[in-house]
Amino acid sequence: MVKAIVNGIFPSSISAGLTFDRAATLTAHPAPEWQLSAALRGPSAVDLQAEAVGTAHRFLVPATETATWEPGDYWFSIRATRADGTVAEVEAGQMTIKPDLAAMESGHDGRDHVRRVLDAIEAVIERRATIDQERYTINNRELWRTPIPDLLVLRDRYRSELRRMNQARKGGLFDQAVRVRFR
């Protein structure tokens, strides 16, 4: 069964190593009169051709093929082409191809940059709670530690960034207080 994609043909991210199956019913560019193709450009070049399923288009790429896709950020253009040479772009955007988790080695750290930095800052603050020196000198070598107030500012900045990222993943508005005034 082919389902129409309402909010765009391609998602914002996919995972390598999984079957890529996206379908679209384009009333202005119905199959088989129009052929649909996609060009993804980023760490590598990926070209896709949709198959016609009635008047709909379907991009179907097996997991064995997506497993070879290089992870990273890609820009894509989905184009409809007619036999007379007419070409129309029906969707363009950016998507992320995430690595195949099943192909990762043990010990893989899947945290994003913000989470790793926040965890490191919090670990430094925790260790510093038992050390009262901000600097010391041994054999003409001097060591300066980042002052606790500076670490707290950095921690708060990264906590805010992590909160924004989590809200964006959830759709943004639902974790926020919305104030309304009626007159």
Side-chain angles (χ1 to χ4, degrees):
M1 181 174 117
V2 176
K3 297 186 291 185
I5 305 299
V6 177
N7 294 326
I9 299 167
F10 280 9
S12 61
S13 70
I14 61 172
S15 292
L18 300 178
T19 300
F20 181 71
D21 189 358
R22 300 299 282 193
T25 301
L26 305 173
T27 55
H29 306 96
E33 181 184 346
W34 292 84
Q35 294 291 316
L36 210 57
S37 63
L40 285 78
R41 297 299 182 264
S44 65
V46 177
D47 294 312
L48 305 175
Q49 189 69 41
E51 61 184 28
V53 180
T55 58
H57 304 276
R58 182 179 185 194
F59 290 100
L60 179 60
V61 184
T64 54
E65 186 177 331
T66 68
T68 66
W69 290 357
E70 187 74 28
D73 291 328
Y74 286 77
W75 287 261
F76 68 86
S77 174
I78 301 174
R79 297 175 179 193
T81 306
R82 195 166 47 195
D84 67 2
T86 303
V87 179
E89 185 172 70
V90 295
E91 185 177 331
Q94 183 180 357
M95 70 186 308
T96 300
I97 296 177
K98 298 182 285 189
D100 181 0
L101 189 61
M104 295 292 193
E105 303 265 337
S106 64
H108 169 69
D109 186 353
R111 297 174 297 166
D112 57 38
H113 166 76
V114 172
R115 182 80 246 179
R116 284 192 311 267
V117 172
L118 179 59
D119 290 348
I121 292 168
E122 289 177 339
V124 169
I125 290 171
E126 186 175 318
R127 283 190 298 271
R128 290 284 304 280
T130 61
I131 301 171
D132 61 353
Q133 299 130 329
E134 191 170 299
R135 75 177 197 173
Y136 60 89
T137 305
I138 300 174
N139 294 335
N140 293 332
R141 291 184 164 231
E142 195 167 25
L143 174 67
W144 286 77
R145 289 195 170 94
T146 305
I148 294 280
D150 292 352
L151 289 171
L152 294 174
V153 167
L154 275 173
R155 182 198 61 193
D156 292 345
R157 186 174 300 151
Y158 274 89
R159 278 183 176 172
S160 294
E161 180 65 24
L162 184 63
R163 191 175 311 110
R164 278 192 299 275
M165 285 174 43
N166 288 338
Q167 287 173 344
R169 283 186 192 122
K170 292 178 184 176
L173 185 63
F174 300 109
D175 282 349
Q176 299 175 8
V178 178
R179 292 187 173 92
V180 178
R181 178 185 293 181
F182 294 100
R183 291 181 183 214

